[in-house]
Amino acid sequence: MLDQQTLINLLHQEADVAIGCTEPVMVALAAAKARDMLGTLPRLVDISVSSAVWKNARRVGLPGTGEKGLAMAAAMGLLAPVEAGQRLLAALTPEQVEQAKILVREGVVKVGVVAAKEGLYARAVARSNQHEAIVELNGSHKNFSALWLDGRMAGGAGENLNLKLEALLAQDYQSLLKQVLSLSPEELYFLYQGAEDILTFAREIHQGGRNPLSAMASFFRRTESGGESLEVLIRNLTGIAVAERMAGATYPVLTCVGSGNQGILAAVSLLLAGQELRADPESVTRALAIAHFTNMYLKAYTGKLSPLCGAVTGGAGVAAATCWLLEGSCQQIINAMQIVLGHLCCVICDGAKESCALKISTAAVEAVRAGYMACQGINLEAGTGIVGKKLEDTMEMVRKVYQGGLGEIDYYLGKVDYLLSTN
């Protein structure tokens, strides 16, 4: 069982402010670190990523540029301050963005897929006239797992603690929930502040105060403001926030298990549900913590970046938190999670792009609904599809399905797509 401080450290590791999709940001960070080690702009950079990172990064908008692709993300990283962390892509001037485009056109950046690597992996090999720097990020979007300069190890441990989600599985979910609810609300309040920022951005677009970049966001805001039911409002505002982020809007998002879209899912759903229930800020803050830790617990089974869409585990986290806000019992909270898992378990991740707004907004509505259903005594019996007797049994089944039956999805959507797009 992890102690309270370790839980807080883990939360800050996985809930960090990012601007832009975190897979291109990961690639940009690798390039930025390599340039920083060289002390000069390199003449050539080779980027290697897992098929999962390629799949998630290649079609998503880069903040404030109208551009897409890993080569452009890496080129922007070469010109961005590495100390900006996951906000580095928004730190460039318009002139630097144009310079990054020139670097791509001149072939300074090469991008390839490493079929042998799974999950979160990116490697940058940067060469100047005198030196070579190699940077690896592995297991986390911002964990510099290894650094080399001219063939010599230059560093190891990353900028964060790189705590493993698997450590959460040393206890059952009920024990984890009890621990999370004992955490100081002051330590958790940043979740509430981050959620408010996301909801404010979505409302500005929804109410016409800001023009959307995405046609999909425009669709979600067509419903007249002020007259929506809770479910419609959750769908529209979640859809707007995700579509705009995927289109390249420059606004900060607090991530959930390293994912900005899953951060939006938790933030919009639970703030709106909290307002409907007239819950005080402390209660909503605790609900957000439940959603974040539940998602982490479930991701410990599946991996942070896997063939399973984050809407599934993120939705289960929101269902648990909604049920808690409704004063559901621990068993009802687990039942709410099981409803979402049984309902959405085979939604695959086919990469980051604007249509993620459809999956995330659907999960947001279904998650809140599942919380209400569970509090009214509804549950899925063991043997109902993928649902097991215990939550842990269900997640073992989910893991087997995705590692076995659907384990090649990332290969086909990533590696094969890469080969087709480069030939």
Side-chain angles (χ1 to χ4, degrees):
M1 181 179 293
L2 302 180
D3 59 48
Q4 289 196 342
Q5 188 56 55
T6 302
L7 286 176
I8 291 296
N9 290 342
L10 182 59
L11 180 60
H12 279 283
Q13 175 181 295
E14 301 298 333
D16 186 26
V17 176
I19 298 178
C21 178
T22 46
E23 278 74 54
V25 167
M26 182 183 188
V27 169
L29 273 173
K33 186 68 174 178
R35 182 222 60 234
D36 194 55
M37 292 170 65
L38 289 177
T40 187
L41 194 66
R43 58 178 175 79
L44 183 66
V45 180
D46 284 316
I47 300 292
S48 303
V49 298
S50 64
S51 56
V53 170
W54 169 269
K55 174 192 70 176
N56 255 30
R58 80 177 194 90
R59 291 187 182 273
V60 68
L62 301 174
T65 68
E67 298 289 320
K68 298 179 181 180
L70 280 80
M72 184 62 181
M76 291 173 69
L78 291 176
L79 304 171
V82 68
E83 60 271 15
Q86 294 194 103
R87 308 184 198 199
L88 84 168
L89 290 181
L92 273 64
T93 64
E95 292 75 20
Q96 288 174 314
V97 172
E98 290 305 311
Q99 186 181 355
K101 293 178 183 178
I102 293 171
L103 293 175
V104 174
R105 287 199 299 269
E106 293 181 346
V108 172
V109 180
K110 306 293 184 183
V111 181
V113 169
V114 184
K117 295 293 183 179
E118 297 180 351
L120 287 166
Y121 177 83
R123 185 175 190 255
V125 180
R127 301 178 182 91
S128 66
N129 290 330
Q130 292 82 28
H131 302 286
E132 178 186 80
I134 301 176
V135 174
E136 281 191 347
L137 291 97
N138 195 9
S140 169
H141 292 92
K142 54 183 182 175
N143 178 55
F144 296 109
S145 56
L147 308 171
W148 290 270
L149 184 62
D150 296 332
R152 295 183 178 181
M153 186 74 73
E159 66 180 56
N160 56 62
L161 295 173
N162 197 29
L163 299 167
K164 303 296 185 184
L165 297 184
E166 289 78 9
L168 294 172
L169 300 183
Q171 58 194 316
D172 61 19
Y173 177 76
Q174 186 171 348
S175 300
L176 175 63
L177 181 62
K178 184 177 180 180
Q179 266 195 298
V180 171
L181 291 173
S182 72
L183 295 174
S184 165
E186 289 77 19
E187 296 269 26
L188 303 172
Y189 190 63
F190 77 99
L191 297 176
Y192 187 85
Q193 292 173 311
E196 280 197 316
D197 290 342
I198 293 170
L199 186 57
T200 297
F201 174 84
R203 283 193 187 280
E204 285 180 3
I205 292 177
H206 186 235
Q207 295 171 3
R210 183 192 294 248
N211 291 325
L213 295 175
S214 164
M216 195 164 289
S218 297
F219 173 81
F220 278 113
R221 79 170 184 173
R222 286 176 189 165
T223 303
E224 289 295 325
S225 61
E228 301 99 330
S229 66
L230 174 61
E231 289 187 355
V232 171
L233 194 59
I234 287 173
R235 186 184 300 277
N236 287 341
L237 290 176
T238 302
I240 286 170
V242 173
E244 285 297 282
R245 179 171 178 266
M246 296 287 94
T250 304
Y251 79 101
V253 168
L254 187 68
T255 64
C256 179
V257 199
S259 164
N261 286 353
Q262 291 166 57
I264 291 169
L265 169 58
V268 175
S269 302
L270 293 174
L271 281 189
L272 292 176
Q275 290 172 10
E276 178 82 3
L277 296 170
R278 297 183 180 179
D280 59 80
E282 182 176 327
S283 296
V284 176
T285 298
R286 291 195 181 280
L288 286 164
I290 291 170
H292 278 256
F293 276 104
T294 298
N295 197 4
M296 282 189 264
Y297 186 81
L298 300 180
K299 289 280 189 181
Y301 283 92
T302 65
K304 291 182 187 178
L305 197 61
S306 77
L308 179 68
C309 178
V312 181
T313 57
V318 170
T322 302
C323 190
W324 179 82
L325 281 173
L326 291 165
E327 300 182 352
S329 67
C330 184
Q331 185 56 56
Q332 287 174 324
I333 288 171
I334 292 173
N335 290 346
M337 295 163 64
Q338 296 268 50
I339 290 171
V340 170
L341 293 170
H343 176 20
L344 301 176
C345 66
C346 284
V347 177
I348 65 168
C349 173
D350 57 345
K353 66 281 182 216
E354 289 179 46
S355 62
C356 289
L358 300 174
K359 295 181 182 181
I360 297 292
S361 62
T362 297
V365 172
E366 296 305 318
V368 172
R369 182 180 292 164
Y372 276 86
M373 291 172 69
C375 282
Q376 294 176 22
I378 297 172
N379 69 288
L380 299 183
E381 295 181 357
T384 303
I386 206 166
V387 175
K389 291 182 178 179
K390 299 185 299 181
L391 173 65
E392 289 74 16
D393 295 336
T394 300
M395 289 311 300
E396 283 293 349
M397 181 62 74
V398 170
R399 173 157 57 185
K400 289 176 181 177
V401 166
Y402 277 88
Q403 288 184 346
L406 300 176
E408 293 184 344
I409 287 175
D410 278 350
Y411 174 82
Y412 286 110
L413 293 179
K415 177 70 173 183
V416 172
D417 176 84
Y418 163 71
L419 293 174
L420 291 174
S421 67
T422 53
N423 288 325

